[in-house]
Amino acid sequence: MPFSLDKAADCYDVIVIGSGLGGLTTAKRLSYCGHKVLLLEFHHQLGGLATWFKRKGHIFDVSLHGFPYGMVKTCKKYWTKEITQSIVQLKNIVFDNPQFSLKTSFDRLDFTALLNQKFRIPQTTIDRFFATVAGMNFYDDQTMTTRELFEEFFPGRSDVHRLLMEPITYANGSTLDDPAITYGIVFSNFMNKGVFTFEGGTDKLIGLMTEDLERNGVTICTNAKVDRIIVEKGKVRGVEVGGRTITAPAVVSNSGITNTIQDLAGRDAFSTDFLAKADAIRVNNSSCQVYIGLKPEAAIEDKGDLLFTSTAPIFDSSELLDLHTRSKTFSIYYPKTRPGHDRHTIVASMNSRFDDWSTLTPEAYDTEKQALIERTLVDLNRYFPDIEEKIDWLEAATPKTFNRYTLHTRGTSFGTKFEGLAVSRSIFKEVGGLFHVGSVGIIMSGWLGAINYGVIIANDVDGYVRSL
Amino acid sequence: MTRDEIKDLILEIIKDIDEDADFDTLQSDLPLRDQLDLDSMDFLDIVMELRKRHKLQIPEADYPQLASLTSCVNYLEPLLKNI
Ligand SMILES: Cc1cc2nc3c(=O)[nH]c(=O)nc-3n(C[C@H](O)[C@H](O)[C@H](O)COP(=O)(O)OP(=O)(O)OC[C@H]3O[C@@H](n4cnc5c(N)ncnc54)[C@H](O)[C@@H]3O)c2cc1C
């Protein structure tokens, strides 16, 4: 069980601020390397955006819609066998929009067949496209955009662009105008074997991770909001938290990269060159979600696990972000997702802009939130005609909700655009002992990206601490 | 450490990373990545493990030196000579 702050000692080898999947993994790796680690989390619950909440007997998962198969290898190497064994495939991915309706296992084999037979794309083009995206690396040329990539292989085929792009826009907030590598790397990860989920839910995953950290001797404190990272003579000295000063030669911030620089360390700690790069960072979009709990006795037909739905005539990155977007995903959680729990829950997710919501008056905010729920029910009715009678819990989250819970700048759901990665990765060269982990650069976001980035940063921290 | 000991050390670390790794047909001069299905995260694990076990600091610029078993041994031999 995590402690309250008064149980923490005054001095550690490393302090990790924030318990998102990136922070948790960095803490795990550093304790494994023999360091004395303190993990401080602002919220009462660990996990960051990998979170869940309970209402009237329902458990809602916020960010458990799907991740690539790579999670198996990653969890096996950096977490535990038990965690690895709970990863299961979501076999039925559905697309339904005015251009096409289809069901797929979302892997290379099935996509190849679909592109060839349904979309009439020549086999050689498909093979060349897959080879191109599979060969993409994050250090490659970033001048080509995803739009240009699609136009090169599938010119004028807005239907194919939609099939290829829509899921990735939901998965990492990238648009047609982001570097093609941010698309290609994530898309190839999924195409490897399809879409996977964590059986037992997010609460089970975070519970197992917490136990593992405790076994490794990490001190974990919740309800512990760090107010400041103390920097002296160009080096980190520790943190201020709950009126206390706790010292460490290395501090890893899992708070957003923009929050870390602007609010926690403060601009004074950095050179003007570095600040210029930091100021140019664009944060990614935020999200809206509608959480729907069905009555205990209510059963619904299996219509697929993940439904990418839209009534917009063609795919358009900005339509997906609109306050009144006609595009949303439905994640359907059947009782099999949580063995031992008999409920069906549905979570509708949309991408959304923070500014569209934060500028509303309180009355307008409530009205828009209600309208969001109503639009969602209209859309859901197309798949489950009698759904309204079966519902016994309805609630919505907006970008303001995400901002309140994670403190992230403008409630960002997927960290920053590509330029955030270089700033995050080089921050310790600016301020000795200061590191950042967490969603950056599009590719280092999502459950898999955040965990792997946690390992990469732990290696940097370990190298630094051992060189002191 | 002798060259053979270094080779065994690398193989032992790889075995920890991937218990299914098959060394029977491994050719020392060819890239490990192609023969054992190792990705960039696996190489990072090797670097971290070498630091943990032998306090070796391998700068990122030198990671390419770990490409094949032979290049690993060549690179590590002077660094591990007193161990
Ligand atoms: C709606 C939604 C759906 C998503 N769906 C998926 C999905 O299906 N699959 C997938 O792979 N990914 C999904 N993601 C993305 C994924 O959840 C995130 O990329 C990942 O969980 C982020 O991890 P992180 O390490 O960046 O930290 P975060 O989860 O952002 O956590 C940061 C933590 O730091 C804490 N913190 C911040 N400031 C302080 C402070 N000053 N003091 C103490 N603590 C602090 C916060 O409270 C938080 O716990 C989704 C995200 C959203 C929003």
Side-chain angles (χ1 to χ4, degrees), chain A residues 17-23 40-42 47-50 62-67 224-226 254-255 264 287 289 402 405-408 413-414 438-439 445-447 450:
Chain A
I17 306 170
S19 67
L21 292 172
L40 298 170
E41 168 56 51
F42 148 67
L49 286 168
V62 170
S63 67
L64 181 56
H65 309 283
F67 45 70
K225 177 171 180 275
V226 171
N254 182 218
S255 180
L264 290 175
S287 305
Q289 288 189 313
F402 288 101
Y405 281 103
T406 60
L407 307 172
H408 289 327
S413 295
F414 313 104
S439 311
S445 76
W447 285 30

Side-chain angles (χ1 to χ4, degrees), chain A residues 73 77-78 459 462-463, chain B residues 42 45 49 51-52 57 60:
Chain A
K73 183 172 177 185
K77 288 202 296 177
Y78 310 123
N459 179 55
D462 182 54
Chain B
D42 297 319
D45 298 344
E49 211 54 48
R51 194 188 304 114
K52 188 174 175 209
Q57 293 273 14
E60 206 164 334

Side-chain angles (χ1 to χ4, degrees), chain B residues 3-47:
Chain B
R3 289 181 69 88
D4 276 342
E5 284 168 341
I6 296 176
K7 194 171 155 183
D8 288 344
L9 169 68
I10 296 295
L11 293 179
E12 188 188 307
I13 292 176
I14 294 175
K15 200 83 196 170
D16 280 349
I17 295 169
D18 177 9
E19 63 205 20
D20 302 326
D22 176 10
F23 299 141
D24 291 349
T25 56
L26 191 66
Q27 290 185 272
S28 301
D29 294 329
L30 296 181
L32 289 162
R33 178 188 282 259
D34 303 342
Q35 303 179 77
L36 294 174
D37 197 23
L38 298 182
D39 58 27
S40 55
M41 292 300 293
D42 297 319
F43 281 91
L44 197 69
D45 298 344
I46 297 175
V47 168

